[in-house]
Amino acid sequence: MYVTGAAESRRSLPGDLPPGAPDDGRSLFERILGSGLPDEESYILWRGEHCFALLNAYPYGSGHLMVLPQRAAAQLDELGAETSAELWAGVQLAVTAVRAAYRPDGVNVGINLGTAAGAGVPDHLHVHVLPRWAADSNFTTTISALRLAPEPFPVTLAKNNNALRRWPMSPSHVP
């Protein structure tokens, strides 16, 4: 579990470039996907042919995950038909898994396209899947850069992985 500023915790993400390293042209998410780390260490939940899902490093609540294409695309119209279809199938899988793992009252699904829309990584679109409860009132993220993770990432990873295994879109791609 962490409670820290974004700049401090960002340094430890698997896809971050070392200080002073030249930009290799890949997005943060492409670097995470290609990091070579085990999925448990990079928090990758699912790998498809064209898309994958991982935990959000700055969750708005327990179970917050993202589904995204393996190759960076800033806009939906930049995706090919197969990638687009797998993206939405992955979102359906993620919603089903989040519901099974957390039993929320509802689920937010959303995309922020572009910096003006709130995208933190505007060069690589990603679909947020976030369980919600009728009584949740976490306003902290709206007034500061603080993120609260009510459970450790390994626990969130295990819950979502267990739920994903029950409804595999493609069993060979679930870690």
Side-chain angles (χ1 to χ4, degrees), residues 2-13 16 56-59 120 144-148:
Y2 67 88
V3 177
T4 186
E8 181 181 327
S9 62
R10 280 275 297 123
R11 287 192 293 268
S12 64
L13 292 178
D16 281 343
N56 190 320
Y58 306 106
S144 72
L146 182 68
R147 296 291 190 263
L148 303 174

mmCIF file with all atom_site columns, all heavy atoms in Angstrom, residues 2-13 16 56-59 120 144-148:
data_model
loop_
_atom_site.group_PDB
_atom_site.id
_atom_site.type_symbol
_atom_site.label_atom_id
_atom_site.label_alt_id
_atom_site.label_comp_id
_atom_site.label_asym_id
_atom_site.label_entity_id
_atom_site.label_seq_id
_atom_site.pdbx_PDB_ins_code
_atom_site.Cartn_x
_atom_site.Cartn_y
_atom_site.Cartn_z
_atom_site.occupancy
_atom_site.B_iso_or_equiv
_atom_site.pdbx_formal_charge
_atom_site.auth_seq_id
_atom_site.auth_comp_id
_atom_site.auth_asym_id
_atom_site.auth_atom_id
_atom_site.pdbx_PDB_model_num
ATOM 1   N N   . TYR A 1 2   ? 0.454  2.285  -0.688  1.00 0.00 ? 2   TYR A N   1
ATOM 2   C CA  . TYR A 1 2   ? 1.265  3.489  -0.698  1.00 0.00 ? 2   TYR A CA  1
ATOM 3   C C   . TYR A 1 2   ? 0.408  4.725  -0.562  1.00 0.00 ? 2   TYR A C   1
ATOM 4   O O   . TYR A 1 2   ? -0.729 4.746  -0.960  1.00 0.00 ? 2   TYR A O   1
ATOM 5   C CB  . TYR A 1 2   ? 2.122  3.565  -1.962  1.00 0.00 ? 2   TYR A CB  1
ATOM 6   C CG  . TYR A 1 2   ? 1.338  3.742  -3.246  1.00 0.00 ? 2   TYR A CG  1
ATOM 7   C CD1 . TYR A 1 2   ? 1.011  5.007  -3.717  1.00 0.00 ? 2   TYR A CD1 1
ATOM 8   C CD2 . TYR A 1 2   ? 0.918  2.642  -3.981  1.00 0.00 ? 2   TYR A CD2 1
ATOM 9   C CE1 . TYR A 1 2   ? 0.290  5.172  -4.882  1.00 0.00 ? 2   TYR A CE1 1
ATOM 10  C CE2 . TYR A 1 2   ? 0.205  2.803  -5.143  1.00 0.00 ? 2   TYR A CE2 1
ATOM 11  C CZ  . TYR A 1 2   ? -0.107 4.061  -5.596  1.00 0.00 ? 2   TYR A CZ  1
ATOM 12  O OH  . TYR A 1 2   ? -0.809 4.230  -6.754  1.00 0.00 ? 2   TYR A OH  1
ATOM 13  N N   . VAL A 1 3   ? 0.990  5.732  0.014   1.00 0.00 ? 3   VAL A N   1
ATOM 14  C CA  . VAL A 1 3   ? 0.398  7.054  0.055   1.00 0.00 ? 3   VAL A CA  1
ATOM 15  C C   . VAL A 1 3   ? 1.557  7.983  -0.223  1.00 0.00 ? 3   VAL A C   1
ATOM 16  O O   . VAL A 1 3   ? 2.407  8.196  0.619   1.00 0.00 ? 3   VAL A O   1
ATOM 17  C CB  . VAL A 1 3   ? -0.217 7.389  1.436   1.00 0.00 ? 3   VAL A CB  1
ATOM 18  C CG1 . VAL A 1 3   ? -0.756 8.806  1.438   1.00 0.00 ? 3   VAL A CG1 1
ATOM 19  C CG2 . VAL A 1 3   ? -1.303 6.403  1.779   1.00 0.00 ? 3   VAL A CG2 1
ATOM 20  N N   . THR A 1 4   ? 1.630  8.487  -1.426  1.00 0.00 ? 4   THR A N   1
ATOM 21  C CA  . THR A 1 4   ? 2.779  9.298  -1.815  1.00 0.00 ? 4   THR A CA  1
ATOM 22  C C   . THR A 1 4   ? 2.428  10.198 -2.972  1.00 0.00 ? 4   THR A C   1
ATOM 23  O O   . THR A 1 4   ? 1.414  10.015 -3.618  1.00 0.00 ? 4   THR A O   1
ATOM 24  C CB  . THR A 1 4   ? 3.969  8.371  -2.154  1.00 0.00 ? 4   THR A CB  1
ATOM 25  O OG1 . THR A 1 4   ? 5.117  9.158  -2.394  1.00 0.00 ? 4   THR A OG1 1
ATOM 26  C CG2 . THR A 1 4   ? 3.687  7.539  -3.397  1.00 0.00 ? 4   THR A CG2 1
ATOM 27  N N   . GLY A 1 5   ? 3.292  11.124 -3.262  1.00 0.00 ? 5   GLY A N   1
ATOM 28  C CA  . GLY A 1 5   ? 3.109  12.005 -4.406  1.00 0.00 ? 5   GLY A CA  1
ATOM 29  C C   . GLY A 1 5   ? 3.393  11.261 -5.691  1.00 0.00 ? 5   GLY A C   1
ATOM 30  O O   . GLY A 1 5   ? 4.179  10.317 -5.717  1.00 0.00 ? 5   GLY A O   1
ATOM 31  N N   . ALA A 1 6   ? 2.788  11.698 -6.790  1.00 0.00 ? 6   ALA A N   1
ATOM 32  C CA  . ALA A 1 6   ? 2.950  11.021 -8.073  1.00 0.00 ? 6   ALA A CA  1
ATOM 33  C C   . ALA A 1 6   ? 4.393  11.010 -8.521  1.00 0.00 ? 6   ALA A C   1
ATOM 34  O O   . ALA A 1 6   ? 4.889  9.997  -9.003  1.00 0.00 ? 6   ALA A O   1
ATOM 35  C CB  . ALA A 1 6   ? 2.071  11.692 -9.129  1.00 0.00 ? 6   ALA A CB  1
ATOM 36  N N   . ALA A 1 7   ? 5.121  12.106 -8.379  1.00 0.00 ? 7   ALA A N   1
ATOM 37  C CA  . ALA A 1 7   ? 6.499  12.167 -8.852  1.00 0.00 ? 7   ALA A CA  1
ATOM 38  C C   . ALA A 1 7   ? 7.369  11.144 -8.123  1.00 0.00 ? 7   ALA A C   1
ATOM 39  O O   . ALA A 1 7   ? 8.200  10.479 -8.733  1.00 0.00 ? 7   ALA A O   1
ATOM 40  C CB  . ALA A 1 7   ? 7.060  13.569 -8.662  1.00 0.00 ? 7   ALA A CB  1
ATOM 41  N N   . GLU A 1 8   ? 7.170  10.996 -6.825  1.00 0.00 ? 8   GLU A N   1
ATOM 42  C CA  . GLU A 1 8   ? 7.978  10.063 -6.057  1.00 0.00 ? 8   GLU A CA  1
ATOM 43  C C   . GLU A 1 8   ? 7.697  8.621  -6.467  1.00 0.00 ? 8   GLU A C   1
ATOM 44  O O   . GLU A 1 8   ? 8.599  7.834  -6.682  1.00 0.00 ? 8   GLU A O   1
ATOM 45  C CB  . GLU A 1 8   ? 7.698  10.250 -4.577  1.00 0.00 ? 8   GLU A CB  1
ATOM 46  C CG  . GLU A 1 8   ? 8.521  9.345  -3.689  1.00 0.00 ? 8   GLU A CG  1
ATOM 47  C CD  . GLU A 1 8   ? 8.210  9.545  -2.229  1.00 0.00 ? 8   GLU A CD  1
ATOM 48  O OE1 . GLU A 1 8   ? 7.903  10.684 -1.837  1.00 0.00 ? 8   GLU A OE1 1
ATOM 49  O OE2 . GLU A 1 8   ? 8.266  8.550  -1.491  1.00 0.00 ? 8   GLU A OE2 1
ATOM 50  N N   . SER A 1 9   ? 6.442  8.242  -6.573  1.00 0.00 ? 9   SER A N   1
ATOM 51  C CA  . SER A 1 9   ? 6.108  6.857  -6.877  1.00 0.00 ? 9   SER A CA  1
ATOM 52  C C   . SER A 1 9   ? 6.298  6.522  -8.348  1.00 0.00 ? 9   SER A C   1
ATOM 53  O O   . SER A 1 9   ? 6.499  5.376  -8.692  1.00 0.00 ? 9   SER A O   1
ATOM 54  C CB  . SER A 1 9   ? 4.678  6.541  -6.436  1.00 0.00 ? 9   SER A CB  1
ATOM 55  O OG  . SER A 1 9   ? 3.761  7.337  -7.133  1.00 0.00 ? 9   SER A OG  1
ATOM 56  N N   . ARG A 1 10  ? 6.272  7.486  -9.229  1.00 0.00 ? 10  ARG A N   1
ATOM 57  C CA  . ARG A 1 10  ? 6.440  7.241  -10.662 1.00 0.00 ? 10  ARG A CA  1
ATOM 58  C C   . ARG A 1 10  ? 7.807  6.662  -10.976 1.00 0.00 ? 10  ARG A C   1
ATOM 59  O O   . ARG A 1 10  ? 7.976  5.928  -11.918 1.00 0.00 ? 10  ARG A O   1
ATOM 60  C CB  . ARG A 1 10  ? 6.265  8.545  -11.455 1.00 0.00 ? 10  ARG A CB  1
ATOM 61  C CG  . ARG A 1 10  ? 4.861  8.943  -11.691 1.00 0.00 ? 10  ARG A CG  1
ATOM 62  C CD  . ARG A 1 10  ? 4.238  8.305  -12.910 1.00 0.00 ? 10  ARG A CD  1
ATOM 63  N NE  . ARG A 1 10  ? 4.877  8.684  -14.131 1.00 0.00 ? 10  ARG A NE  1
ATOM 64  C CZ  . ARG A 1 10  ? 5.408  7.836  -14.989 1.00 0.00 ? 10  ARG A CZ  1
ATOM 65  N NH1 . ARG A 1 10  ? 5.415  6.560  -14.760 1.00 0.00 ? 10  ARG A NH1 1
ATOM 66  N NH2 . ARG A 1 10  ? 5.952  8.236  -16.104 1.00 0.00 ? 10  ARG A NH2 1
ATOM 67  N N   . ARG A 1 11  ? 8.819  6.976  -10.195 1.00 0.00 ? 11  ARG A N   1
ATOM 68  C CA  . ARG A 1 11  ? 10.165 6.504  -10.492 1.00 0.00 ? 11  ARG A CA  1
ATOM 69  C C   . ARG A 1 11  ? 10.275 4.988  -10.440 1.00 0.00 ? 11  ARG A C   1
ATOM 70  O O   . ARG A 1 11  ? 11.184 4.426  -11.021 1.00 0.00 ? 11  ARG A O   1
ATOM 71  C CB  . ARG A 1 11  ? 11.164 7.141  -9.526  1.00 0.00 ? 11  ARG A CB  1
ATOM 72  C CG  . ARG A 1 11  ? 11.424 8.592  -9.812  1.00 0.00 ? 11  ARG A CG  1
ATOM 73  C CD  . ARG A 1 11  ? 12.610 9.079  -9.029  1.00 0.00 ? 11  ARG A CD  1
ATOM 74  N NE  . ARG A 1 11  ? 12.341 9.096  -7.598  1.00 0.00 ? 11  ARG A NE  1
ATOM 75  C CZ  . ARG A 1 11  ? 11.882 10.132 -6.929  1.00 0.00 ? 11  ARG A CZ  1
ATOM 76  N NH1 . ARG A 1 11  ? 11.630 11.254 -7.554  1.00 0.00 ? 11  ARG A NH1 1
ATOM 77  N NH2 . ARG A 1 11  ? 11.676 10.063 -5.635  1.00 0.00 ? 11  ARG A NH2 1
ATOM 78  N N   . SER A 1 12  ? 9.363  4.316  -9.786  1.00 0.00 ? 12  SER A N   1
ATOM 79  C CA  . SER A 1 12  ? 9.498  2.890  -9.582  1.00 0.00 ? 12  SER A CA  1
ATOM 80  C C   . SER A 1 12  ? 8.684  2.039  -10.554 1.00 0.00 ? 12  SER A C   1
ATOM 81  O O   . SER A 1 12  ? 8.628  0.839  -10.405 1.00 0.00 ? 12  SER A O   1
ATOM 82  C CB  . SER A 1 12  ? 9.111  2.544  -8.143  1.00 0.00 ? 12  SER A CB  1
ATOM 83  O OG  . SER A 1 12  ? 7.749  2.837  -7.927  1.00 0.00 ? 12  SER A OG  1
ATOM 84  N N   . LEU A 1 13  ? 8.053  2.648  -11.537 1.00 0.00 ? 13  LEU A N   1
ATOM 85  C CA  . LEU A 1 13  ? 7.255  1.862  -12.483 1.00 0.00 ? 13  LEU A CA  1
ATOM 86  C C   . LEU A 1 13  ? 8.160  1.072  -13.420 1.00 0.00 ? 13  LEU A C   1
ATOM 87  O O   . LEU A 1 13  ? 9.221  1.548  -13.830 1.00 0.00 ? 13  LEU A O   1
ATOM 88  C CB  . LEU A 1 13  ? 6.345  2.775  -13.301 1.00 0.00 ? 13  LEU A CB  1
ATOM 89  C CG  . LEU A 1 13  ? 5.221  3.452  -12.535 1.00 0.00 ? 13  LEU A CG  1
ATOM 90  C CD1 . LEU A 1 13  ? 4.434  4.371  -13.457 1.00 0.00 ? 13  LEU A CD1 1
ATOM 91  C CD2 . LEU A 1 13  ? 4.313  2.453  -11.881 1.00 0.00 ? 13  LEU A CD2 1
ATOM 92  N N   . ASP A 1 16  ? 9.483  2.891  -16.665 1.00 0.00 ? 16  ASP A N   1
ATOM 93  C CA  . ASP A 1 16  ? 10.195 4.165  -16.601 1.00 0.00 ? 16  ASP A CA  1
ATOM 94  C C   . ASP A 1 16  ? 11.606 4.034  -17.139 1.00 0.00 ? 16  ASP A C   1
ATOM 95  O O   . ASP A 1 16  ? 12.283 3.033  -16.900 1.00 0.00 ? 16  ASP A O   1
ATOM 96  C CB  . ASP A 1 16  ? 10.248 4.681  -15.165 1.00 0.00 ? 16  ASP A CB  1
ATOM 97  C CG  . ASP A 1 16  ? 8.956  5.326  -14.724 1.00 0.00 ? 16  ASP A CG  1
ATOM 98  O OD1 . ASP A 1 16  ? 8.135  5.666  -15.589 1.00 0.00 ? 16  ASP A OD1 1
ATOM 99  O OD2 . ASP A 1 16  ? 8.770  5.484  -13.513 1.00 0.00 ? 16  ASP A OD2 1
ATOM 100 N N   . ASN A 1 56  ? -3.818 -0.108 -12.478 1.00 0.00 ? 56  ASN A N   1
ATOM 101 C CA  . ASN A 1 56  ? -3.473 1.304  -12.551 1.00 0.00 ? 56  ASN A CA  1
ATOM 102 C C   . ASN A 1 56  ? -2.504 1.604  -11.415 1.00 0.00 ? 56  ASN A C   1
ATOM 103 O O   . ASN A 1 56  ? -2.785 1.313  -10.254 1.00 0.00 ? 56  ASN A O   1
ATOM 104 C CB  . ASN A 1 56  ? -4.733 2.162  -12.416 1.00 0.00 ? 56  ASN A CB  1
ATOM 105 C CG  . ASN A 1 56  ? -4.488 3.609  -12.709 1.00 0.00 ? 56  ASN A CG  1
ATOM 106 O OD1 . ASN A 1 56  ? -3.466 4.177  -12.330 1.00 0.00 ? 56  ASN A OD1 1
ATOM 107 N ND2 . ASN A 1 56  ? -5.425 4.239  -13.384 1.00 0.00 ? 56  ASN A ND2 1
ATOM 108 N N   . ALA A 1 57  ? -1.349 2.202  -11.744 1.00 0.00 ? 57  ALA A N   1
ATOM 109 C CA  . ALA A 1 57  ? -0.342 2.534  -10.732 1.00 0.00 ? 57  ALA A CA  1
ATOM 110 C C   . ALA A 1 57  ? -0.823 3.625  -9.788  1.00 0.00 ? 57  ALA A C   1
ATOM 111 O O   . ALA A 1 57  ? -0.292 3.777  -8.695  1.00 0.00 ? 57  ALA A O   1
ATOM 112 C CB  . ALA A 1 57  ? 0.954  2.965  -11.409 1.00 0.00 ? 57  ALA A CB  1
ATOM 113 N N   . TYR A 1 58  ? -1.820 4.398  -10.195 1.00 0.00 ? 58  TYR A N   1
ATOM 114 C CA  . TYR A 1 58  ? -2.376 5.473  -9.381  1.00 0.00 ? 58  TYR A CA  1
ATOM 115 C C   . TYR A 1 58  ? -3.887 5.275  -9.269  1.00 0.00 ? 58  TYR A C   1
ATOM 116 O O   . TYR A 1 58  ? -4.669 6.033  -9.819  1.00 0.00 ? 58  TYR A O   1
ATOM 117 C CB  . TYR A 1 58  ? -2.050 6.832  -10.001 1.00 0.00 ? 58  TYR A CB  1
ATOM 118 C CG  . TYR A 1 58  ? -0.568 6.984  -10.230 1.00 0.00 ? 58  TYR A CG  1
ATOM 119 C CD1 . TYR A 1 58  ? -0.042 6.914  -11.512 1.00 0.00 ? 58  TYR A CD1 1
ATOM 120 C CD2 . TYR A 1 58  ? 0.291  7.153  -9.160  1.00 0.00 ? 58  TYR A CD2 1
ATOM 121 C CE1 . TYR A 1 58  ? 1.329  7.018  -11.705 1.00 0.00 ? 58  TYR A CE1 1
ATOM 122 C CE2 . TYR A 1 58  ? 1.651  7.268  -9.351  1.00 0.00 ? 58  TYR A CE2 1
ATOM 123 C CZ  . TYR A 1 58  ? 2.164  7.197  -10.627 1.00 0.00 ? 58  TYR A CZ  1
ATOM 124 O OH  . TYR A 1 58  ? 3.513  7.294  -10.821 1.00 0.00 ? 58  TYR A OH  1
ATOM 125 N N   . PRO A 1 59  ? -4.292 4.211  -8.562  1.00 0.00 ? 59  PRO A N   1
ATOM 126 C CA  . PRO A 1 59  ? -5.716 3.847  -8.543  1.00 0.00 ? 59  PRO A CA  1
ATOM 127 C C   . PRO A 1 59  ? -6.586 4.854  -7.811  1.00 0.00 ? 59  PRO A C   1
ATOM 128 O O   . PRO A 1 59  ? -6.167 5.453  -6.825  1.00 0.00 ? 59  PRO A O   1
ATOM 129 C CB  . PRO A 1 59  ? -5.713 2.507  -7.806  1.00 0.00 ? 59  PRO A CB  1
ATOM 130 C CG  . PRO A 1 59  ? -4.535 2.589  -6.898  1.00 0.00 ? 59  PRO A CG  1
ATOM 131 C CD  . PRO A 1 59  ? -3.494 3.361  -7.680  1.00 0.00 ? 59  PRO A CD  1
ATOM 132 N N   . GLY A 1 120 ? -3.397 11.084 -18.516 1.00 0.00 ? 120 GLY A N   1
ATOM 133 C CA  . GLY A 1 120 ? -2.078 11.174 -17.909 1.00 0.00 ? 120 GLY A CA  1
ATOM 134 C C   . GLY A 1 120 ? -0.994 10.655 -18.829 1.00 0.00 ? 120 GLY A C   1
ATOM 135 O O   . GLY A 1 120 ? 0.158  11.048 -18.725 1.00 0.00 ? 120 GLY A O   1
ATOM 136 N N   . SER A 1 144 ? -5.936 16.984 -4.908  1.00 0.00 ? 144 SER A N   1
ATOM 137 C CA  . SER A 1 144 ? -4.490 16.876 -4.791  1.00 0.00 ? 144 SER A CA  1
ATOM 138 C C   . SER A 1 144 ? -3.987 15.771 -5.690  1.00 0.00 ? 144 SER A C   1
ATOM 139 O O   . SER A 1 144 ? -4.749 15.072 -6.321  1.00 0.00 ? 144 SER A O   1
ATOM 140 C CB  . SER A 1 144 ? -4.098 16.574 -3.341  1.00 0.00 ? 144 SER A CB  1
ATOM 141 O OG  . SER A 1 144 ? -4.452 15.248 -3.013  1.00 0.00 ? 144 SER A OG  1
ATOM 142 N N   . ALA A 1 145 ? -2.677 15.618 -5.734  1.00 0.00 ? 145 ALA A N   1
ATOM 143 C CA  . ALA A 1 145 ? -2.069 14.556 -6.529  1.00 0.00 ? 145 ALA A CA  1
ATOM 144 C C   . ALA A 1 145 ? -1.937 13.271 -5.716  1.00 0.00 ? 145 ALA A C   1
ATOM 145 O O   . ALA A 1 145 ? -1.311 12.331 -6.141  1.00 0.00 ? 145 ALA A O   1
ATOM 146 C CB  . ALA A 1 145 ? -0.688 14.997 -7.021  1.00 0.00 ? 145 ALA A CB  1
ATOM 147 N N   . LEU A 1 146 ? -2.554 13.213 -4.565  1.00 0.00 ? 146 LEU A N   1
ATOM 148 C CA  . LEU A 1 146 ? -2.467 12.069 -3.681  1.00 0.00 ? 146 LEU A CA  1
ATOM 149 C C   . LEU A 1 146 ? -3.348 10.934 -4.177  1.00 0.00 ? 146 LEU A C   1
ATOM 150 O O   . LEU A 1 146 ? -4.478 11.132 -4.598  1.00 0.00 ? 146 LEU A O   1
ATOM 151 C CB  . LEU A 1 146 ? -2.926 12.488 -2.276  1.00 0.00 ? 146 LEU A CB  1
ATOM 152 C CG  . LEU A 1 146 ? -2.864 11.435 -1.177  1.00 0.00 ? 146 LEU A CG  1
ATOM 153 C CD1 . LEU A 1 146 ? -1.415 11.113 -0.871  1.00 0.00 ? 146 LEU A CD1 1
ATOM 154 C CD2 . LEU A 1 146 ? -3.566 11.960 0.060   1.00 0.00 ? 146 LEU A CD2 1
ATOM 155 N N   . ARG A 1 147 ? -2.801 9.718  -4.124  1.00 0.00 ? 147 ARG A N   1
ATOM 156 C CA  . ARG A 1 147 ? -3.569 8.527  -4.456  1.00 0.00 ? 147 ARG A CA  1
ATOM 157 C C   . ARG A 1 147 ? -3.514 7.587  -3.272  1.00 0.00 ? 147 ARG A C   1
ATOM 158 O O   . ARG A 1 147 ? -2.451 7.375  -2.684  1.00 0.00 ? 147 ARG A O   1
ATOM 159 C CB  . ARG A 1 147 ? -2.976 7.804  -5.677  1.00 0.00 ? 147 ARG A CB  1
ATOM 160 C CG  . ARG A 1 147 ? -3.018 8.609  -6.971  1.00 0.00 ? 147 ARG A CG  1
ATOM 161 C CD  . ARG A 1 147 ? -4.447 8.772  -7.447  1.00 0.00 ? 147 ARG A CD  1
ATOM 162 N NE  . ARG A 1 147 ? -4.489 9.316  -8.769  1.00 0.00 ? 147 ARG A NE  1
ATOM 163 C CZ  . ARG A 1 147 ? -4.664 10.584 -9.054  1.00 0.00 ? 147 ARG A CZ  1
ATOM 164 N NH1 . ARG A 1 147 ? -4.768 11.461 -8.098  1.00 0.00 ? 147 ARG A NH1 1
ATOM 165 N NH2 . ARG A 1 147 ? -4.718 11.002 -10.298 1.00 0.00 ? 147 ARG A NH2 1
ATOM 166 N N   . LEU A 1 148 ? -4.630 7.006  -2.912  1.00 0.00 ? 148 LEU A N   1
ATOM 167 C CA  . LEU A 1 148 ? -4.702 6.068  -1.810  1.00 0.00 ? 148 LEU A CA  1
ATOM 168 C C   . LEU A 1 148 ? -5.038 4.694  -2.360  1.00 0.00 ? 148 LEU A C   1
ATOM 169 O O   . LEU A 1 148 ? -6.003 4.550  -3.099  1.00 0.00 ? 148 LEU A O   1
ATOM 170 C CB  . LEU A 1 148 ? -5.785 6.481  -0.812  1.00 0.00 ? 148 LEU A CB  1
ATOM 171 C CG  . LEU A 1 148 ? -5.656 7.872  -0.203  1.00 0.00 ? 148 LEU A CG  1
ATOM 172 C CD1 . LEU A 1 148 ? -6.886 8.183  0.639   1.00 0.00 ? 148 LEU A CD1 1
ATOM 173 C CD2 . LEU A 1 148 ? -4.397 7.983  0.609   1.00 0.00 ? 148 LEU A CD2 1
#
